[in-house]
Structures are given as structure tokens and as C-alpha cells.
Amino acid sequence: MNIRIGQILLDSGMISNKQLENALNQQNEGGARLGYYLVSSNAISETDLNKFLARQQNIESANLDNIDIDENIIHLISGEIAHRYEVIPIEIVGRKLIVAMTDPHNLFAIDDLRFSLGMDIEPHITASSMIRRALGKYYTNSEALVEVDDSRTKVGSTVHTSIADIEEEKLESADLLVGDEVFESMIVEDSEEEEFAEEDINLDLSDSPVVKLVNSLIADAVRRGASDIHFEPFERYIRVRFRIDGVLHEVMRPSRKYRSAMVSRLKILGGMNIADHHLPQDGRQKILVGDRFVDLRLATLPTLFGEKVEVRLLDRSKVVLDLEKLGFEEEPLKIFRKAIRRPFGIVLVTGPTGCGKTTTLYSALTERNDVEVNIMTAENPVEFNLKGINQVQMNTDVGLTFANALRAYLRQDPDIIMVGEIRDKETAEISIRAALTGHLVLSTTHTNDAPSTINRLIDIGTEPFMLSTSLACIASQRLIRKICSKCKAEIHVPDEVLTDAGIDPERFRKVKLYEGTGCSYCNNTGYKGRIGIFEVMSIDEEIRQLIEGDANSLEIEKAALSKGMINLRESALRKLERGETTYDEVIRETISSF
């Protein structure tokens, strides 16, 4: 490449034969880039070399001598990485980091930066002599590393393993079985967590690049607060995405040659059959990242180009089981609390997958958990261990279904029964019978709002008169992202935009609206964390008559709203008024009421 560039410079008349020959001789002795020696020997100026390289490679150039780089931006890249790749961070534009590089086509370096920073990378070309001066100016101590969260450092060297390091290692099928104990120190067996927490957690990792890559991804996902990792195979690459605060972000694209190896690594981790590629599989594991317990739920799915793997992360240190902190408005919380303190009846929590239904139920059970109350749960899977509560994992392979578990529970003298999900007629009918015979039943369904839950239960075969007499309360919920407190800024939303969204502009005439501009604290998204919005519908006499009269969901909703029910849109708007979320987030997660 250097000879080719030198020849092009020669052909263009910018340097002479003798200048090229001298520079090549110096390069053979010193080992630096050819351009460095051409500039140092005054064969060509740095400015001319920059312009030539930019034009020749069709990429923008950066003159580091004329740029004053902010210290916070410099600290994004460690001295070690800056020297290794000859790269200097220049500027942040939205979620994109502009960097100056001597080799802007070094895809390994760009992928490594994208993966470690969670940002898009835009390279600008710079003469190596400028890079060297900038490295001396901004990275006086090449050993200095950017400060990293403990959850990364305690996982071991894998967190700092770069894509380039992985690419440089030879990957063969035999590597799959190297270091099968990738998380041998992290995996938590059935022993008590308190005992395990006293052990020294230091990983003795194998040299397998697959082990390093998978371990790094999981550790980084935990550090960034991701709830899911998606490994998605395509024809030429594997797309890896993190779901952070409910939104997917692409973090890297390893080569397709790692596809089978990565899937096998994940299957081993989840205790699945690595030889079966044709059927979906489920697995789980418990690990310790730093000092944080994390539960992993893994699921595979055969696709056109291989098996897709989804890893659900449950960080125990971030689990909040407190109804006060979930996002309920004051009046809906009173209604919900009154319902879960009834001696009998059915309380349902509804919403799409991943909206926090289980957390709400666990919070309700935690509030009712008392030595005088016998609580039993039927779950698939058991997502979190609640002390003092009898939790049972469903196993359809041996016939332990929700319906069968419920039948058995009724012979165990329960006070409160939690059913993971009501999805069929049999489970619904047994839950109703339990509610009608003096038990409080908590469960979930998948519907869009509280009123439509009733029609859904009738559609699966539940008798309306039994439903009306057993239901106590239905709570529908969603999760909306909260504005990052570090980069919160006031914005103006035009009246016509509010009107088009079904929002009365007069309501927000004197209200300040905000959004996040993006910063390192929130991964440049403008959001940090999520909070629930709730629609709680109490089943009173009028609603019961509508259910028995086969009323549709719109009629039931009108009746509930007339009695003061706060729907999902209203709950979101109140959080918008308080400056907790953004207008865009309200529109994204809710629809206007009729």
C-alpha cells in the first residue's frame, strides 16, 4: 500500500524518484508509515499529503494542528487504543464520533471503537506525523486507560479484548470446545448466593476468541444496562444488537465465519444441545459480573442463515419491587392496592411482551408477602427468586402446565395464587374457580389496554357471567423512556404538532417541555432508564353488567373513563407535564383516545 501511494505521488509529480527511494529506505529501517518519512524529509508538506490522501481515498481529511480537542472527547479513547490504531477522537456529532486516523480503512479498529464506545465512528484521514504530535500532546502517558466501570474490569481481560485481537487469532471448529468453562467462576450453582458472593471472582479464560467475544458482549451489555442481546445471522455477517431502555441499538457485526462458533458457545452457556440446529431451544444461566448477579435466559430460533439467539438479561441489582417506584399515578395506585388486598377475585396485569408486567406482579406479591399469607406462583420461567414465596417453574415436557399447577395449588391451602399468564380457556376457567372459592388470583394477559382484556378472555371461551363475578381489577401498562438528567434541555413543540397528535395545546401553554441532547452518561440517546405508565380499571357493578351484556371494549372504556379512569395516554401526558419524558416518547408509546 505504501509503495502504491509512493508511486502515485511520484506519477503525479509531487515527489522525485530520489525522494521516494530515500523515504523507502528510512521506512525499512524505522518501520513507520511512508508518509511520515516523506514529510520529515521535506519531500512533501503535511497539508499537501493530507489533501492528496483525502482525494485519493475519497474521504475527508483532518488537520490536527489546527484543532483544539475537548478533554472529555479525548478521554473517550484510552492511550493504549490511540497508540495501537494511531487514532485521535475529534468531535461528537449526535451519536457519531469523528476520529482522525492514519488508516481510515482499518475496519478492525473502527469496529473495535464502535463496540467499546457504543457509538458510530466516522474516520477522517490524517498524516501520521500529525497523529504522532497529537498522541504526544493528548496522551502523555501511553499506559493511561480510560476509566471503566467495575462490571467491566472485574470480568477480566475479555472486556478489553478488541475485535482486532479476535480477528488476528486463528479460529477453527476445534476452538468451540476450548475453555468450555468460560464463566466457570461466574456461573452460580444452586448454592446460596451469600456464600458464593464471598468467593474471589477472577476468570481464568481460555484463548478461544469465541469465548472472549461472547464474554465481552455480555459484560458490556450488563454495563450499559441492556435488557436483551440479539445475535442475528445474515448472509455475510452476524448482527449483534442490545436493547437498552426498550430500544434496539446495533453494537457490532462480526464476520459470518464466527456464526456457528458463537451459537455453540451460547448454547453451552445455556446448557442446550449444540448438535440440534433445527428446533428452537431454551436455556438459562446465573452469572456474576463484578459484584452484580445477573440471570441469563437464552432462546434459539432456526432462521434462513442459521440460528438466531436471544439473551434476556435480568440484573438483580437493578430490580425494583416497590409499587411506589413503578410509575403509578396516585389514584390508580390506590385502586390497584385495594384490589390486591381483597380476600378473593382476579387481578390482571396486561400489556405487550417486555412492558414490565412481571415486575408489577412481583411488586404486588412483595407488598402482600407476610408470614400469615400463603403465596404460590406458577411461572414460565421463574424470573426472580422471592423469599418466603412458593414459586414453581412450569415444565410442559412432563405435563406441568399452568392448568395442572393450578389444580394442585388448590390442594395446598393457598391465600394468593400468581399465574404467569392466562393464555387458554382451561387456565382461565380454573383461575375463575379459584377466585370464586376464596382465593386472590394474580395473572397477566397480552392485550393492548384494560377494556379489551375482557373481550380477549371471552374470545378464548370464558363465560361472561363467570368473568364478571370473578374479576376485581385490570391494569394495563407500558414502559416509556425517561429524559437523561445530565443532558436535559428545554424545547418548543408547535401547537399544530400537539393538535395533530390529539393533545390540547392549551394544556401545555405554560408547561416547559424537555428532551435529552445526548451525552456519554446516556450513550448519546438522550434517555436514561424507563418508567411505567398505567391504566387501572376497577370492575364495579356497571362494568359487570356491561360484561354480562356482551358489550364491546369501546363501551366498557367509555364507562370506565366516565368514572375517572386514567388511560395510558393521560398517564403519559402527566409525566410529560412533570418533565419526566419527551413528547416523542409519549407519541411512540400511546395512541390518542377516541
Side-chain angles (χ1 to χ4, degrees):
M1 182 69 175
N2 285 333
I3 295 176
R4 186 169 71 84
I5 290 177
Q7 188 63 49
I8 294 173
L9 286 169
L10 180 64
D11 293 341
S12 66
M14 299 182 73
I15 61 173
S16 66
N17 268 315
K18 186 174 182 180
Q19 288 171 324
L20 175 59
E21 185 178 347
N22 289 337
L24 288 172
N25 290 334
Q26 288 178 310
Q27 184 187 35
N28 289 333
E29 294 178 5
R33 292 182 179 274
L34 182 64
Y36 173 77
Y37 297 109
L38 288 171
V39 171
S40 63
S41 63
N42 295 320
I44 186 173
S45 70
E46 286 181 319
T47 302
D48 288 341
L49 179 60
N50 256 13
K51 290 179 180 178
F52 169 79
L53 292 173
R55 184 173 65 252
Q56 191 253 345
Q57 299 190 39
N58 193 28
I59 195 169
E60 290 192 47
S61 64
N63 189 335
L64 294 179
D65 293 340
N66 297 334
I67 301 175
D68 187 17
I69 307 174
D70 186 271
E71 184 179 349
N72 292 327
I73 294 178
I74 285 294
H75 286 167
L76 289 175
I77 297 179
S78 70
E80 180 190 17
I81 297 298
H83 280 82
R84 180 192 302 175
Y85 294 132
E86 293 188 326
V87 57
I88 299 291
I90 300 175
E91 181 185 5
I92 294 177
V93 180
R95 294 192 58 220
K96 178 172 61 181
L97 177 65
I98 298 175
V99 298
M101 302 179 68
T102 55
D103 182 6
H105 298 294
N106 186 344
L107 299 182
F108 297 150
I110 293 172
D111 280 346
D112 198 1
L113 293 172
R114 182 187 297 121
F115 168 60
S116 61
L117 299 176
M119 302 174 69
D120 294 330
I121 306 297
E122 180 181 311
H124 289 188
I125 195 165
T126 303
S128 58
S129 53
M130 286 187 182
I131 287 283
R132 289 191 172 209
R133 283 198 299 275
L135 288 172
K137 177 181 178 181
Y138 296 111
Y139 297 99
T140 54
N141 180 8
S142 63
E143 298 301 319
L145 295 177
V146 69
E147 187 177 344
V148 182
D149 186 274
D150 284 346
S151 63
R152 291 171 66 89
T153 55
K154 290 190 179 181
V155 173
S157 60
T158 50
V159 175
H160 298 292
T161 297
S162 67
I163 304 303
D165 291 337
I166 293 170
E167 289 284 354
E168 288 169 1
E169 298 189 51
K170 185 177 180 181
L171 178 66
E172 298 178 354
S173 58
D175 285 328
L176 295 179
L177 300 180
V178 178
D180 280 348
E181 305 303 321
V182 53
F183 287 110
E184 85 181 302
S185 299
M186 297 172 67
I187 294 175
V188 181
E189 304 296 342
D190 293 334
S191 58
E192 289 293 324
E193 292 176 10
E194 289 78 5
E195 295 178 7
F196 181 79
E198 296 175 358
E199 298 178 12
D200 183 21
I201 307 302
N202 290 305
L203 293 183
D204 295 323
L205 297 168
S206 76
D207 291 330
S208 168
V210 173
V211 169
K212 292 179 179 180
L213 180 56
V214 171
N215 200 15
S216 292
L217 283 167
I218 293 175
D220 194 53
V222 172
R223 180 187 68 86
R224 295 169 62 180
S227 61
D228 301 84
I229 310 173
H230 293 262
F231 297 86
E232 302 166 304
F234 294 97
E235 186 174 9
R236 299 185 181 277
Y237 58 87
I238 306 163
R239 182 172 67 182
V240 182
R241 295 190 289 176
F242 292 170
R243 187 178 293 279
I244 303 173
D245 292 334
V247 178
L248 285 170
H249 302 273
E250 183 175 332
V251 294
M252 66 182 301
R253 290 188 178 187
S255 168
R256 65 177 179 178
K257 67 182 179 181
Y258 298 129
R259 182 175 57 205
S260 298
M262 290 177 70
V263 171
S264 295
R265 179 65 259 162
L266 289 163
K267 283 184 173 180
I268 291 170
L269 180 60
M272 293 178 271
N273 182 359
I274 65 172
D276 188 350
H277 307 290
H278 305 292
L279 292 173
Q281 296 187 62
D282 295 307
R284 63 185 306 159
Q285 191 54 267
K286 187 186 298 180
I287 66 172
L288 186 63
V289 180
D291 58 354
R292 300 154 70 180
F293 285 97
V294 180
D295 289 322
L296 307 183
R297 280 171 41 194
L298 303 95
T300 68
L301 181 69
T303 68
L304 184 62
F305 296 108
E307 291 176 275
K308 178 186 182 297
V309 184
E310 199 274 347
V311 181
R312 172 67 59 86
L313 305 171
L314 179 62
D315 187 348
R316 298 188 176 196
S317 66
K318 294 186 176 181
V319 174
V320 178
L321 301 181
D322 186 346
L323 290 175
E324 294 278 358
K325 298 178 180 179
L326 296 184
F328 279 97
E329 300 298 320
E330 183 179 355
E331 190 58 33
L333 179 58
K334 289 181 180 178
I335 297 172
F336 188 75
R337 273 185 163 149
K338 182 178 179 181
I340 64 173
R341 293 192 174 279
R342 287 169 54 102
F344 57 85
I346 298 177
V347 176
L348 293 176
V349 179
T350 182
T353 301
C355 72
K357 298 187 296 295
T358 302
T359 300
T360 301
L361 287 183
Y362 278 1
S363 299
L365 292 180
T366 299
E367 191 159 301
R368 290 297 318 272
N369 192 9
D370 188 88
V371 69
E372 298 176 353
V373 181
N374 182 16
I375 303 176
M376 307 193 69
T377 76
E379 305 174 62
N380 188 24
V382 175
E383 294 192 13
F384 190 75
N385 180 29
L386 300 173
K387 292 184 178 180
I389 293 177
N390 303 286
Q391 296 173 270
V392 180
Q393 170 77 47
M394 298 299 97
N395 187 346
T396 55
D397 293 339
V398 297
L400 183 56
T401 62
F402 286 125
N404 290 337
L406 276 172
R407 291 191 184 96
Y409 287 1
L410 294 178
R411 297 189 291 272
Q412 293 288 326
D413 185 32
D415 297 300
I416 300 174
I417 300 173
M418 189 193 98
V419 184
E421 181 183 352
I422 295 179
R423 64 180 71 175
D424 55 53
K425 179 181 178 181
E426 186 178 18
T427 305
E429 288 182 346
I430 298 173
S431 299
I432 289 172
R433 291 195 195 102
L436 293 175
T437 54
H439 304 89
L440 179 64
V441 179
L442 308 181
S443 189
T444 71
T445 58
H446 286 83
T447 54
N448 292 325
D449 53 33
S452 62
T453 303
I454 293 169
N455 294 118
R456 164 65 180 157
L457 292 173
I458 293 174
D459 286 342
I460 65 175
T462 307
E463 293 291 343
F465 74 91
M466 293 184 67
L467 197 60
S468 66
T469 54
S470 59
L471 273 179
C473 176
I474 302 174
S476 178
Q477 72 178 80
R478 298 286 190 282
L479 291 175
I480 59 174
R481 292 182 291 175
K482 297 192 294 183
I483 303 173
C484 174
S485 60
K486 305 291 185 181
C487 59
K488 188 175 181 179
E490 186 177 349
I491 62 167
H492 172 68
V493 179
D495 287 354
E496 56 269 22
V497 174
L498 294 171
T499 303
D500 290 343
I503 301 173
D504 183 7
E506 289 300 322
R507 176 174 179 176
F508 292 88
R509 188 73 65 194
K510 298 181 180 180
V511 175
K512 293 182 180 180
L513 300 182
Y514 300 90
E515 69 177 11
T517 58
C519 63
S520 58
Y521 178 69
C522 62
N523 291 316
N524 293 292
T525 63
Y527 297 95
K528 190 68 175 179
R530 289 189 290 175
I531 192 169
I533 54 173
F534 294 86
E535 173 182 276
V536 180
M537 184 175 75
S538 178
I539 309 300
D540 59 12
E541 190 59 36
E542 181 180 353
I543 300 295
R544 288 192 176 89
Q545 291 179 4
L546 288 173
I547 296 173
E548 293 177 7
D550 201 22
N552 60 40
S553 60
L554 287 178
E555 293 172 321
I556 295 173
E557 183 177 12
K558 286 181 180 178
L561 289 172
S562 68
K563 294 177 177 294
M565 182 185 77
I566 298 173
N567 61 15
L568 291 170
R569 167 59 72 92
E570 176 60 24
S571 179
L573 289 176
R574 292 189 181 187
K575 289 175 173 58
L576 179 63
E577 284 180 313
R578 293 195 294 266
E580 297 177 9
T581 190
T582 65
Y583 165 81
D584 290 338
E585 193 68 3
V586 171
I587 301 305
R588 188 175 73 89
E589 287 294 341
T590 67
I591 60 173
S592 178
S593 183
F594 54 87

